[in-house]
């Protein structure tokens, strides 16, 4: 068995990308989330990232894979300076599909917030910030959770990609044509 998250686990990560730097933040494998205990407390993860002018953050993890009866909540907040760039991938897998656990988790929640500091006062570090994107996903239920009638097609992944800033523009353009 590999590692994974259990109900009640709390993971908190703070990241700062300094001016002109680039950071690829990824995982070595999918994030497995095991079933919750009787108390139903979710495993939680949070990421607070700051990207300074000329900086680029690429968040490209493997998917979160909640197993049957698992509960997971995630919050990711990206604070961007006026000339910072971000590409963030957030995705969830259906579970252990080969074991018949397609979308059989208890609940999955993810919230991504992209904020950008205004030009005025950005150097001061306390510049006002404006939300430029908020992406929230909440899935709950059990087996057959996403049982949409799509003919013979069954989807095993839900994905969001957030792109912001000049260096992320080529990625956003490529995604638009897919």
């Amino acid at each position: 068995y590999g590692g994974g998250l259990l109900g009640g686990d709390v993971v908190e990560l703070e990241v700062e990308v300094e001016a002109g730097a680039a950071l690829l933040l990824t995982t070595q494998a999918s994030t497995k989330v095991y079933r919750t205990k009787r108390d139903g407390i979710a495993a939680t993860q949070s990421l607070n990232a700051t990207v300074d002018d000329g900086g680029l953050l690429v968040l490209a993890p493997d998917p979160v894979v909640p197993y049957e009866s698992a509960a997971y909540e995630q919050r990711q907040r990206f604070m961007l300076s006026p000339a910072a760039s971000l590409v963030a991938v957030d995705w969830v897998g259906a579970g252990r599909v080969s074991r018949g656990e397609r979308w059989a988790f208890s609940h999955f929640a993810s919230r991504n917030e992209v904020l950008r500091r205004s030009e005025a006062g950005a150097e001061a570090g306390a510049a006002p910030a404006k939300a430029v994107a908020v992406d929230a996903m909440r899935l709950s239920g059990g087996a057959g959770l996403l049982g949409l009638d799509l003919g013979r097609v069954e989807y095993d992944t839900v994905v969001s990609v957030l792109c912001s800033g000049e260096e992320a523009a080529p990625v956003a353009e490529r995604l638009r044509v897919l």
Side-chain angles (χ1 to χ4, degrees):
Y1 293 156
L5 298 176
L6 302 171
D9 283 353
V10 177
V11 178
E12 296 176 345
L13 183 61
E14 299 277 337
V15 172
E16 183 175 350
V17 180
E18 294 181 350
L23 173 65
L24 169 63
L25 186 59
T26 188
T27 56
Q28 64 183 16
S30 63
T31 300
K32 299 170 197 72
V33 184
Y34 297 102
R35 72 176 58 233
T36 60
K37 296 182 271 183
R38 288 191 181 117
D39 61 15
I41 296 174
T44 62
Q45 287 197 106
S46 66
L47 168 65
N48 286 305
T50 303
V51 185
D52 292 336
D53 280 336
L56 168 64
L57 172 59
V58 177
L59 176 65
D62 286 299
V64 173
V65 180
Y67 290 3
E68 183 177 21
S69 301
Y72 176 81
E73 297 175 2
Q74 168 181 281
R75 182 178 169 276
Q76 300 183 131
R77 186 171 191 258
F78 307 96
M79 178 65 73
L80 308 178
S81 290
S85 296
L86 169 72
V87 176
V89 179
D90 182 18
W91 54 329
V92 60
R96 294 182 292 189
V97 175
S98 64
R99 294 180 138 202
E101 295 181 9
R102 179 176 275 118
W103 305 113
F105 48 83
S106 173
H107 82 267
F108 171 89
S110 179
R111 181 177 175 89
N112 296 289
E113 301 172 358
V114 180
L115 299 104
R116 190 169 293 277
R117 287 191 206 104
S118 66
E119 293 283 345
E123 306 79 32
K130 177 181 176 185
V132 294
V134 176
D135 178 63
M137 177 181 351
R138 181 173 296 275
L139 307 173
S140 61
L145 170 70
L146 297 180
L148 303 172
D149 183 4
L150 301 171
R152 296 184 318 213
V153 177
E154 292 184 280
Y155 288 95
D156 292 328
T157 307
V158 176
V159 63
S160 293
V161 181
L162 301 167
C163 298
S164 184
E166 185 178 330
E167 291 190 69
V171 175
E173 186 55 37
R174 176 77 173 131
L175 290 171
R176 274 196 264 298
V177 299
L178 292 179

